[in-house]
Amino acid sequence: MKKLLIISDGKAGHENQSRAFCQALGYACDCVQVRYPLRVCKGLSYLADRLGIVSRRLFRMDALPDGGYYAAVVCAGSTAFYPGKVTARRLGAPVAAILYPGGYRISTFDCVMAPVFDDAPDAPNVIHIPANLTAVDEAFYARAAEAFRQRHAQKAPAVGVVIGGPTGFSPMTAETLRGHLDALFALTAGRERWVTTSRRTPPEIDALIDGYPFDYKIICRRDTTFNPVPAFVTLCERLFVTADSTGMISEAVTCGGARVEVLAVPSGKDNKFARFLDGLAAGGAAHIFDGTLGDARAKIDLSPVFEQARRLLRL
């Protein structure tokens, strides 16, 4: 059975996109983790790549599963790009980069899935994608919705709130979020309000959420046994998502039917996060929450980019 091999840097956001890519192309996958033993080794990987040097000595990688035949290698994130190339060369397989591999030679990847906010150059092997890759699996979301119904008996239309944590691009304070939540509750009378946090949500934000009468609540710091986000995407008529994770927002704008509101807007600086949100807003996929409700219900169809990737990888 042909499979795809994921070279992972161990970051969930990167690995999840790689798995979504494999699933969308209809392939099973194996996943091995890679790491650089010293910081200087990663720096040298950029130089080695520029010089066309293919070396296993710069990084450490888990052993490949026995008996695997891989139709292609998939890698996401700066730690995985060079090992992905080296492993693909060793296996005689094409290689796909998920996210823009800045600093490495783009021409030696068979396929590059570059988010539009990274301003990647145009090239025959570069596919510009409007959002992070997510697996659009109707059966998965149906199962998630059913699992949620076993936990909560919904009695009215619902709005979901997905809260992450502060980043350099998206500062988040309890005071800012309190203003958003006050407005949200005032605008959604008669609806159920559901909320979930992430591992990055600060304790003061958890405490703030506890002060609001949500009909369903999961604080990730206290309960990691269930991820309600796929159910929120499926069941909510409107989703409020904090502007700190391209992954969470991408899932909201590619799956389900909810109108999407983005909370905790980044500063006005020109950065990739701002460009990402501006692009979604311009396409009607997301509304930057300003105390009023938008009608951003357009969903991004990623199937054309997956088919383009299939052709580039000769799958």
Side-chain angles (χ1 to χ4, degrees):
M1 176 184 178
K2 293 183 180 180
K3 296 185 286 187
L4 303 186
L5 177 65
I6 294 173
I7 306 299
S8 172
D9 61 3
K11 294 183 178 179
H14 293 165
E15 188 174 314
N16 289 343
Q17 289 194 70
S18 295
R19 291 185 181 278
F21 181 79
C22 297
Q23 181 182 344
L25 296 184
Y27 281 80
C29 61
D30 289 333
C31 183
V32 295
Q33 192 164 331
V34 69
R35 56 208 166 273
Y36 287 101
L38 299 170
R39 184 184 298 270
V40 68
C41 292
K42 184 174 181 179
L44 288 172
S45 75
Y46 290 96
L47 177 61
D49 184 64
R50 290 290 177 182
L51 296 175
I53 298 172
V54 179
S55 175
R56 283 285 309 274
R57 295 182 178 181
L58 291 177
F59 58 88
R60 303 289 180 267
M61 191 173 75
D62 295 343
L64 298 182
D66 292 334
Y69 172 77
Y70 300 107
V73 174
V74 182
C75 50
S78 60
T79 297
F81 289 138
Y82 181 73
K85 279 190 182 184
V86 172
T87 304
R89 180 75 63 85
R90 171 188 167 197
L91 297 176
V95 57
I98 311 299
L99 304 176
Y100 178 54
Y104 294 101
R105 288 186 298 159
I106 305 303
S107 61
T108 52
F109 289 98
D110 295 275
C111 171
V112 176
M113 307 292 281
V116 292
F117 50 75
D118 276 333
D119 287 337
D122 292 327
N125 62 329
V126 174
I127 302 174
H128 299 279
I129 55 176
N132 285 4
L133 300 183
T134 56
V136 183
D137 183 342
E138 293 183 3
F140 167 78
Y141 283 96
R143 291 192 298 271
E146 182 56 34
F148 180 82
R149 292 188 184 101
Q150 299 301 315
R151 292 169 167 260
H152 176 73
Q154 183 179 353
K155 297 181 176 63
V159 296
V161 186
V162 182
I163 297 174
T167 69
F169 293 133
S170 178
M172 179 189 297
T173 66
E175 287 305 311
T176 299
L177 190 57
R178 179 181 288 109
H180 286 318
L181 292 178
D182 286 345
L184 183 160
F185 269 77
L187 291 167
T188 57
R191 269 40 181 174
E192 289 194 9
R193 291 94 165 199
W194 305 343
V195 66
T196 184
T197 64
S198 79
R199 289 172 294 181
R200 295 183 297 103
T201 307
E204 60 269 24
I205 301 294
D206 291 341
L208 173 68
I209 293 167
D210 282 335
Y212 285 84
F214 283 101
D215 299 282
Y216 177 86
K217 174 177 66 179
I218 281 190
I219 301 296
C220 188
R221 191 180 304 276
R222 305 171 198 156
D223 182 0
T224 59
T225 61
F226 182 68
N227 174 18
V229 172
F232 284 20
V233 169
T234 304
L235 299 173
C236 289
E237 65 175 20
R238 193 178 296 272
L239 276 173
F240 294 81
V241 187
T242 56
D244 57 274
S245 169
T246 56
M248 291 190 301
I249 296 170
S250 294
E251 186 169 5
V253 300
T254 55
C255 304
R259 297 170 177 84
V260 178
E261 302 280 344
V262 179
L263 301 176
V265 181
S267 66
K269 297 178 181 178
D270 181 22
N271 57 53
K272 70 177 185 178
F273 231 80
R275 293 195 296 272
F276 171 60
L277 296 179
D278 288 345
L280 295 180
H287 173 247
I288 310 303
F289 186 64
D290 56 2
T292 66
L293 296 177
D295 192 35
R297 66 176 79 188
K299 297 301 172 184
I300 295 171
D301 181 9
L302 293 175
S303 57
V305 302
F306 288 128
E307 287 308 308
Q308 190 176 351
R310 187 189 300 277
R311 290 193 296 271
L312 288 173
L313 294 171
R314 304 176 295 282
L315 297 177

